[in-house]
Amino acid sequence: MYRAIIVDDEADVREGLQLLVNWQERGFRIVGEAANGAEALAYMPIWRPDFVITDIRMPVLDGLEYIRKVRRQFPEIAVVVMSAYGEFHYAQEAIQLGVLDFLLKPLTRQSLAQCMDKAKALLDERDQLRGRERAERQFIQEKWLQELCRGKLVKPDELKLIGDMLHCEDDECFQVLLLEMDDYERYVAECSESELDLKRFMIRNIAAEIGCKRGWLQTYEDSQERIGMLLRHDPRKRPELEALCSEIRDSLRRFVKISVSIGIGKPYRSWQSIRQSRHEALQALEYMLLEGKGGVFHYGQLERYYHSGDRPSAEQAPFNIDTIIRSLDDTDPVRLNRELDLFFEKIRTGAKTPELVRGLCLELIMGMVRLVREYDGDVSQIFGERLQEYETVFVKRSLDALRQRIGELSRRTAQYLSELRAARLPDVMQEVKAFIDEHYSDDISLKMISAHVYKNPAYLGQLFKATFGESFSQYVTRLRIEKAKELLRKDQLRVYEIAEKVGYVTLDTFYQRFKQMTGMNPTEYKHKISS
């Protein structure tokens, strides 16, 4: 809807023009009226009209002089003049002043309607041109900002143009703020490309609208999952920056149900240093690993953790990587899960930087790779043709997601190692192992199995230990206790019933063996896992 005003010294003429046509149907809304040019000129900054219809002969300031002043201050306004019959000699001068049309009084409904349609077409064309110019300017600004942020050298004249377009002074400080979608991986899996584009648009639109209100500069698309903002820095307005971040996060959560994390780089005076500010904002976002998603991370506040003196090393805060690898080698899923939980708990309490977290996880994955290679296994079966699973460490944005993925890799590695061992067992030992796994709850002995596979008991015992790294009795005891632990976790059986199910005739023997293996008796274990 375009804004219109009527300027005429006769009140009945002004009222009649408002009633002569339906202004809103033709795309206009009357926002003011004046009795002469001087009065109209005084209110122009308030009314901000797009369309003016004015009489020529008026007291104080006539129409032609009023148009001259309007043209100097507001050159894009569409102006139509009215005049009584016999004053047509004013038309030539009015046309020289760039008026859109010249109407004779009294106006007819048809002549006014045609004039308004003509004005609307002119204003529509003007707005389309403005829109194209604005889009082109936005594109150029964004292209140059992306190049600046990625460290590309921009010519001095281009830097000046950027400053002019953004209305920046030479001595101003700037900093980069990055908005990252917290659930981008899930969106990629669940949403179409058009839906993803819409989410990016909503984030950028809301950020730009809020930032514009607070006097910030420019948004740009930093990556598929991130929107960047270039901010003017004023140390006196730190609370305003905090308020900006809070308002953007809250608005996105409230209106479009999108959670973002925000990274903020330090301010710099040089345009060429915007790249450094963006790099710092990216580093700040890494702290999602330790602090969780949905936060605001200031590089300036986190910078001290990047100094080696403030960073705990693996020696200062020992992590149980070797123990995890031994659990994989022993194919002990319960112990493996326990050790992984301990590993990530130590990370939560002992790691201060994302770099250390990712480094420790990489070391753990490398240990898995080495273990698979020791068994002459194909590492691509677990980690991909080009060991793509290394990327897991850098892609995951939360400790929980990283813990889940490392756990999956560990379980796959343990299963693969078990398959490799089984494939390498002599046929007779595969038969022995299968017999024990099936009959562990029976009163089995090495002598019984020797008869089953037609081997000497002493030789079979030596072969068993050489193959499995433990004696027959140790293997059977461990297997029975592991099965007992499973039953204690899953079933509501009494302890003596579980003892019978796993092959112990007397409860005392079961208690003794269970405590030897776990450090606690079955009742204590059941209480621990249920608490």
Side-chain angles (χ1 to χ4, degrees), residues 285-327:
L285 282 171
E286 289 287 316
Y287 276 81
M288 279 190 281
L289 264 180
L290 302 174
E291 304 294 334
K293 296 179 180 180
V296 178
F297 306 97
H298 297 260
Y299 181 83
Q301 296 175 359
L302 302 167
E303 188 176 18
R304 63 189 180 89
Y305 292 129
Y306 283 92
H307 299 297
S308 58
D310 294 330
R311 189 186 309 169
S313 66
E315 290 75 22
Q316 293 170 315
F319 293 85
N320 54 322
I321 292 176
D322 290 341
T323 312
I324 295 172
I325 299 302
R326 284 197 297 273
S327 300

Side-chain angles (χ1 to χ4, degrees), residues 144-145 148 154 158-167 271:
W144 282 343
L145 269 181
L148 278 171
V154 179
E158 292 176 339
L159 287 175
K160 185 178 185 308
L161 279 173
I162 294 176
D164 291 343
M165 279 193 257
L166 298 176
H167 309 291
W271 279 107

Side-chain angles (χ1 to χ4, degrees), residues 53 125 142 175 188 204 211 323 332 468 485:
I53 182 166
E125 184 179 351
E142 179 162 342
Q175 63 191 129
V188 169
R204 183 167 180 176
T323 312
D332 186 345
F468 297 107
K485 285 160 67 176

Side-chain angles (χ1 to χ4, degrees), residues 363-414:
E363 186 178 341
L364 179 54
I365 292 178
M366 287 165 59
M368 297 182 202
V369 170
R370 284 195 300 271
L371 188 58
V372 170
R373 284 176 173 160
E374 284 175 9
Y375 280 86
D376 297 323
D378 181 2
V379 293
S380 67
Q381 295 289 318
I382 308 297
F383 306 99
E385 289 291 339
R386 297 185 302 277
L387 300 183
Q388 296 97 318
E389 287 298 343
Y390 280 133
E391 298 174 9
T392 293
V393 173
F394 301 100
V395 171
K396 299 301 180 184
R397 286 303 220 183
S398 73
L399 272 183
D400 290 339
L402 199 52
R403 164 67 177 89
Q404 181 179 358
R405 191 59 184 152
I406 294 291
E408 291 171 3
L409 288 174
S410 300
R411 285 188 290 275
R412 282 165 49 189
T413 301

Side-chain angles (χ1 to χ4, degrees), residues 154-200:
V154 179
K155 298 175 183 177
D157 57 335
E158 292 176 339
L159 287 175
K160 185 178 185 308
L161 279 173
I162 294 176
D164 291 343
M165 279 193 257
L166 298 176
H167 309 291
C168 299
E169 301 295 334
D170 292 338
D171 61 345
E172 285 191 276
C173 284
F174 308 96
Q175 63 191 129
V176 173
L177 180 151
L178 295 176
L179 309 171
E180 181 170 311
M181 282 189 271
D182 286 333
D183 299 311
Y184 183 72
E185 282 188 355
R186 178 169 63 84
Y187 293 147
V188 169
E190 298 177 358
C191 300
S192 65
E193 189 58 41
S194 60
E195 290 172 327
L196 269 174
D197 286 340
L198 179 59
K199 291 182 186 297
R200 294 186 193 101

Side-chain angles (χ1 to χ4, degrees), residues 130-146:
R130 282 179 177 175
R132 287 195 298 271
E133 290 175 347
R134 190 162 48 246
E136 289 172 1
R137 187 167 57 250
Q138 177 82 10
F139 175 79
I140 293 171
Q141 287 175 348
E142 179 162 342
K143 177 176 177 292
W144 282 343
L145 269 181
Q146 288 174 334

Side-chain angles (χ1 to χ4, degrees), residues 241-251 262 296:
L241 178 58
E242 299 291 341
L244 170 74
C245 294
S246 295
E247 188 175 355
I248 289 174
R249 282 191 310 160
D250 294 346
S251 297
I262 301 178
V296 178

